[in-house]
Amino acid sequence: SIVLADDAAPPRDWSRLPVMHGTLQHAARLPTSLEDMLLQDDSCSAADEAVVGGVVSVQFASKPFAKGSSRVAYHATVRYEPAADNHAEQDDGSIPQQHGPEAAVLKEIVGQGPEACLLKCQEALSCHAAATYLALIFNDLLRPHTAVTLHFVQNMLIRLDHRPDQPYMTWEEPIVAGHWEKYNNNSGMCLPCPSLSTGTDHSAVQAFSHWTHSMSGGRLMVVDCQGAYDEASQRFTLTDPAIHCVSLLKFGGTNIGKKGFARFFKTHRCNAICTAIGIQVIA
């Protein structure tokens, strides 16, 4: 679970913080199909790293604004300069263009050496890419029934220079609107709907988790859906998904496979969106 710090605001004066330099190692490629997703390796290939490249200059707060069981999150600013010889284009927009400095969130793995940290970052990118791809399809199904949409933040891997003990961090766009909530988790919790703290109707998020299981023929399920709802845009912006999959070698240690499916269905109650888009329960 995530614990927010008492003072979760970004630093008031960024000029007091050092600038660190590094490289953009990997921007997760979106799958092209369900089969592609299930066949993809969680690791970032050397070929992908070579395609991305580019220099990042970052500043991040001295203390994290949120802590989880294995990761901490920092407010940050990031400036990105693509490699001079990088002319690759990616239709899904996962490789950023030159920009900055812009507000960002940097996350790092705690209590792990560089190699284990890299593996966990790669697993996180794999989960993000899969969830992003599935949310795009799900949003098309929602349109005849509701204006609500789901969006997973872009997630990239950077390697910082002169930080040998922990060089790898993930770079995400910040969630700037709405009140952060965890709508479900990977052990079967489904937040009461509407949520007690904000009154948000998050039926679409719960239906999304159910739908990912149904559309995959019972092979996977996106859970640990957390983030915020922006009423103005009617959009849920989500981060840090977990994926249960029948292949326990994919999607990291939060994947508990069929046990995770069963725990979700023990607490999930089908809602109007589940009915409207005709989601089936796969035994």
Side-chain angles (χ1 to χ4, degrees):
S1 62
I2 297 292
V3 178
L4 298 179
D6 292 336
D7 181 9
R12 293 183 177 86
D13 186 0
W14 287 101
S15 66
R16 294 177 178 271
L17 298 170
V19 177
M20 303 185 71
H21 302 285
T23 55
L24 177 60
Q25 297 281 296
H26 184 76
R29 177 180 70 85
L30 294 190
T32 57
S33 67
L34 177 64
E35 297 306 321
D36 180 35
M37 181 193 309
L38 293 170
L39 290 173
Q40 273 188 23
D41 192 290
D42 284 348
S43 66
C44 308
S45 71
D48 284 338
E49 291 179 10
V51 167
V52 180
V55 176
V56 292
S57 301
V58 308
Q59 293 172 286
F60 57 92
S62 56
K63 295 182 180 180
F65 71 87
K67 298 179 180 180
S69 59
S70 62
R71 283 187 291 179
V72 293
Y74 298 89
H75 290 297
T77 65
V78 177
R79 179 188 296 275
Y80 174 64
E81 181 79 26
D85 59 351
N86 180 10
H87 303 292
E89 294 183 359
Q90 193 152 332
D91 291 340
D92 60 29
S94 60
I95 297 177
Q97 303 301 308
Q98 178 176 351
H99 68 76
E102 291 185 355
V105 171
L106 293 182
K107 295 180 179 178
E108 77 174 344
I109 307 298
V110 294
Q112 302 281 344
E115 290 186 4
C117 172
L118 175 59
L119 177 60
K120 287 186 176 295
C121 287
Q122 291 171 340
E123 291 168 351
L125 263 65
S126 180
C127 287
H128 266 271
T132 298
Y133 169 76
L134 292 168
L136 291 172
I137 301 173
F138 184 70
N139 287 340
D140 286 339
L141 296 176
L142 288 181
R143 285 191 181 96
H145 310 287
T146 177
V148 170
T149 58
L150 276 59
H151 166 73
F152 284 90
V153 299
Q154 188 176 18
N155 189 294
M156 293 162 284
L157 175 67
I158 63 174
R159 188 182 194 280
L160 297 177
D161 302 330
H162 310 300
R163 206 167 180 256
D165 293 336
Q166 192 64 288
Y168 297 104
M169 302 182 86
T170 55
W171 164 24
E172 297 180 6
E173 61 184 279
I175 298 176
V176 296
H179 178 78
W180 189 92
E181 294 182 293
K182 184 183 281 281
Y183 303 108
N184 57 41
N185 67 15
N186 73 318
S187 59
M189 184 280 292
C190 290
L191 191 70
C193 190
S195 63
L196 300 179
S197 60
T198 65
T200 299
D201 182 344
H202 48 87
S203 300
V205 180
Q206 307 300 346
F208 172 68
S209 291
H210 184 176
W211 171 82
T212 58
H213 184 261
S214 176
M215 69 82 64
S216 67
R219 287 181 286 177
L220 62 76
M221 175 187 286
V222 179
V223 290
D224 227 5
C225 296
Q226 55 197 298
Y229 177 66
D230 177 26
E231 190 169 354
S233 63
Q234 294 183 272
R235 184 171 85 164
F236 287 93
T237 302
L238 305 171
T239 186
D240 291 338
I243 299 181
H244 296 315
C245 183
V246 291
S247 173
L248 295 175
L249 299 179
K250 289 187 63 64
F251 303 121
T254 54
N255 171 16
I256 57 174
K258 293 182 178 180
K259 185 185 297 184
F261 303 158
R263 288 180 179 178
F264 174 81
F265 285 121
K266 188 174 182 179
T267 54
H268 172 67
R269 298 294 178 267
C270 280
N271 55 55
I273 292 179
C274 296
T275 302
I277 63 178
I279 302 175
Q280 300 296 314
V281 175
I282 306 296

